[in-house]
Amino acid sequence: MKTLVVGSGGREHALALALSRDPGSPEVHAAPGNPGIGEVATLHEVDPMDGAAVADLAERLGVDLVVVGPEAPLVAGVADAVAERGIACFGPSREAARLEGSKAFSKEVMAAAGVPTAASRACSTAEEVEAALDAFGPPYVVKDDALAAGKGVVVTTDRDEALAHGASCDRVVVEEFLDGPEVSLFAVCDGTSVRPFQPAQDFKRIRDGGRGPNTGGMGSYTPLPWAPPGLTDEVVRTVVQPTVDEMAARGTPFQGLLFVGLALTARGPRVIEFNVRFGDPETQSLLALLSSPLADLLHAAARGRLDDAEAPELRDGAAVTVVLASAGYPASSSSGDVISGLDEAGGRDGVDVIHAGTATDGEHVVTAGGRVLAVTAVGEDVADARRRAYDAADLVSFDGAQRRTDIAAEPLGAVESRAVTDADQKVHP
Ligand code: AMP
Ligand code: GLY
C-alpha cells in the first residue's frame, strides 16, 4: 500500500515506521516529516494545516491512504479536504474532531452518551470560575477550553493559582478532581464499529515522581500488568461505543483514532479527556509491539469497513518509551543543540529512536523543539524493556537534555496522581 503521513512529530515517526514495516512493499510518504521520518519515508514540503495542499499531494502521489497525525490539522478540516477528493483518509472530519478541539463539546457529548466522566462546568467569567471551584473543592482542575497541546490544564490545591489560570483563558472547564492511576486507551473507529488497542500509560509531568508542570508526555509503556482484567472491554462498552453511536446519531460520525484518557477511580474508570488522534508517546510503545498490518487496519477504518478487520495484534512482551526533551521544556524549548549517539542507540536490537523535534544542520542532527526524541525499546516484560530503553537513551546526548528516570519504574501506576495530592506540590504550566 502507498501511504502519506501528515505531521512532523514523534507520533508521525512511529506511524511511518510501523507503516514501513508492513508486509508487502509499502511505500511511505510524509508531509512535512522530520529527519527521522526521512529515513523511512519520502518527505514533501507541504504545510500540514493546508487541506488543499495535502489533498493535491495525495492525488499527485496516487496514495491509497492518508493518515493525519496531529490534532491541529484535523480540527482545521484537513481530513475533510482529502476525503472530498475520494481518497481514503484516516482521521476525523472537522466536526468530529471537536471531541478534542473543544473540552466543553466533548463534555456535552459524554453527558448525552452517558459516558462516565468528571462532573464539570464550562465558565466564561471570574465569578463562574470562583463558584465552580468552591462547588468542587480542592484539588482544583481548570482546563482551557481551546487546544493547548496538553499544556492548558492546571491541577492545583492553590485556589489563587486556579483562579489565575481561569483568568488567563477565554473560556475554561472547571471539573471535579479524579483520583486514581491514569490509562490511555486507543480505539480505531470507522464511524460505527471500533477496534481497541491494549491500554498504555503516559507520564505527563516533566519531573520524576510526577512533579512539575504538565508536558505533552515524557514517557510511556504497555501493557499495564496491574490493570484490571476486562478493562479494555469495559471501556469499549461504556465509553468508546456509546461515544461513536452518539456522534453517528448527530450526523457527524467519528472515523479515526479515539484516544480515551482515563482515571481508574475507586468508583470505576472515568474519562479525563478525549483526543482524536494517536497519543504521543503512547503510540511509540504500542506500535513497537504491533504484529498485524497497520495500513490495512487504518484503510478499513477510513472506508467504513472495520467489520471485516481484526483488532490490532500486539506481540507478547512489553515496550517502554523514554522521551528526551530540550532545555527549558515545557515552558520553552531550545533549538540547534547538536545531538550525538543516535546511530549507536538506534542500532541496538529492539530499539527505535523516534524523532519528535529534530532538524538537520549540515552533517548534524540538532534539537528543534521541546520534545526532541523518544527512545523506545521492546523486551520480555516491562522491567526488561525499561532497562533496554534507558540503556539506549544513555547513549544519546545533547546540551540541556531533560528526561525522567522513573518511566515505567512503578507499574502500579499511582505515581502521577499521588503527587498531585502532596501538600508541598503545585502543578501548573
Ligand atoms: P488533559 O489535557 O485533559 O488530558 O489533562 C492533562 C492532565 O491533567 C491529565 O493527564 C491529568 O493528569 C490531569 N487532569 C486532567 N483532568 C483531571 C481531573 N479531572 N482530575 C485529575 N487530574 C486531571
Ligand atoms: N500522550 C498524551 C497526548 O498525546 O496528548
Side-chain angles (χ1 to χ4, degrees):
M1 205 173 318
K2 212 177 193 185
T3 53
L4 169 63
V5 176
V6 178
S8 60
R11 158 189 43 228
E12 288 76 35
H13 188 180
L15 285 164
L17 187 61
L19 290 167
S20 77
R21 288 173 177 166
D22 272 354
S25 319
E27 184 180 321
V28 187
H29 296 264
N34 67 35
I37 300 175
E39 290 169 14
V40 293
T42 309
L43 304 186
H44 304 271
E45 273 187 37
V46 165
D47 176 1
M49 297 296 289
D50 183 341
V54 170
D56 286 346
L57 175 65
E59 228 163 38
R60 187 155 51 77
L61 294 170
V63 298
D64 306 294
L65 173 71
V66 175
V67 180
V68 181
E71 60 275 21
L74 292 166
V75 170
V78 169
D80 307 73
V82 174
E84 274 162 23
R85 308 271 182 101
I87 302 166
C89 183
F90 183 77
S93 66
R94 179 204 311 259
E95 279 300 310
R98 290 179 69 214
L99 277 180
E100 175 165 0
S102 164
K103 302 259 186 209
F105 175 75
S106 79
K107 281 295 198 183
E108 183 210 314
V109 170
M110 284 187 241
V115 166
T117 184
S120 71
R121 289 192 198 171
C123 307
S124 308
T125 67
E127 292 71 34
E128 285 171 4
V129 174
E130 281 201 68
L133 294 178
D134 294 338
F136 295 125
Y140 304 108
V141 181
V142 182
K143 303 184 174 187
D144 191 345
D145 185 42
L147 277 186
K151 292 181 281 181
V153 177
V154 163
V155 182
T156 179
T157 49
D158 182 339
R159 193 166 177 277
D160 290 338
E161 206 74 57
L163 280 172
H165 186 53
S168 73
C169 309
D170 275 351
R171 196 162 113 105
V172 292
V173 171
V174 175
E175 60 181 49
E176 161 200 17
F177 177 75
L178 295 174
D179 201 2
E182 284 182 39
V183 170
S184 301
L185 195 109
F186 298 173
V188 174
C189 306
D190 72 353
T192 312
S193 302
V194 311
R195 296 284 181 271
F197 278 84
Q198 70 190 25
Q201 201 176 37
D202 168 27
F203 291 71
K204 291 253 166 70
R205 298 211 168 75
I206 186 77
R207 289 200 298 278
D208 284 1
R211 288 168 188 277
N214 261 320
T215 70
M218 292 299 291
S220 68
Y221 69 102
T222 188
L224 311 179
W226 50 269
L231 178 66
T232 303
D233 289 347
E234 181 181 357
V235 175
V236 166
R237 185 170 46 77
T238 63
V239 177
V240 182
Q241 193 66 59
T243 300
V244 166
D245 293 347
E246 173 66 22
M247 293 299 283
R250 291 174 180 230
T252 51
F254 185 87
Q255 179 275 113
L257 198 286
L258 187 65
F259 165 150
V260 185
L262 297 155
L264 304 189
T265 73
R267 290 170 296 147
R270 294 282 183 277
V271 175
I272 290 180
E273 65 161 350
F274 283 146
N275 294 312
V276 299
R277 35 79 192 172
F278 281 95
D280 192 337
E282 296 95 315
T283 300
Q284 285 83 323
S285 291
L286 284 165
L287 295 186
L289 294 174
L290 186 71
S291 60
S292 55
L294 182 60
D296 290 350
L297 177 69
L298 304 186
H299 189 266
R303 288 296 192 210
R305 289 200 302 258
L306 262 190
D307 274 347
D308 302 336
E310 298 294 325
E313 269 171 44
L314 271 65
R315 281 193 293 275
D316 290 344
V320 172
T321 297
V322 176
V323 168
L324 307 185
S326 71
Y329 184 73
S332 62
S333 64
S334 169
S335 295
D337 303 306
V338 174
I339 305 170
S340 65
L342 290 171
D343 291 342
E344 292 82 344
R348 296 213 158 183
D349 228 21
V351 171
D352 293 322
V353 178
I354 303 290
H355 291 229
T358 67
T360 43
D361 181 4
E363 286 149 34
H364 299 294
V365 178
V366 299
T367 64
R371 289 186 296 172
V372 177
L373 298 164
V375 180
T376 301
V378 298
E380 282 169 23
D381 54 23
V382 174
D384 184 41
R386 172 173 201 278
R387 190 166 38 74
R388 291 168 187 270
Y390 275 106
D391 283 352
D394 282 344
L395 299 171
V396 179
S397 61
F398 53 89
D399 277 352
Q402 311 185 67
R403 64 175 210 208
R404 281 179 64 159
T405 66
D406 64 347
I407 302 303
E410 201 179 6
L412 278 175
V415 190
E416 307 283 52
S417 53
R418 197 173 53 229
V420 179
T421 45
D422 283 0
D424 64 343
Q425 150 95 0
K426 266 191 211 160
V427 188
H428 58 89

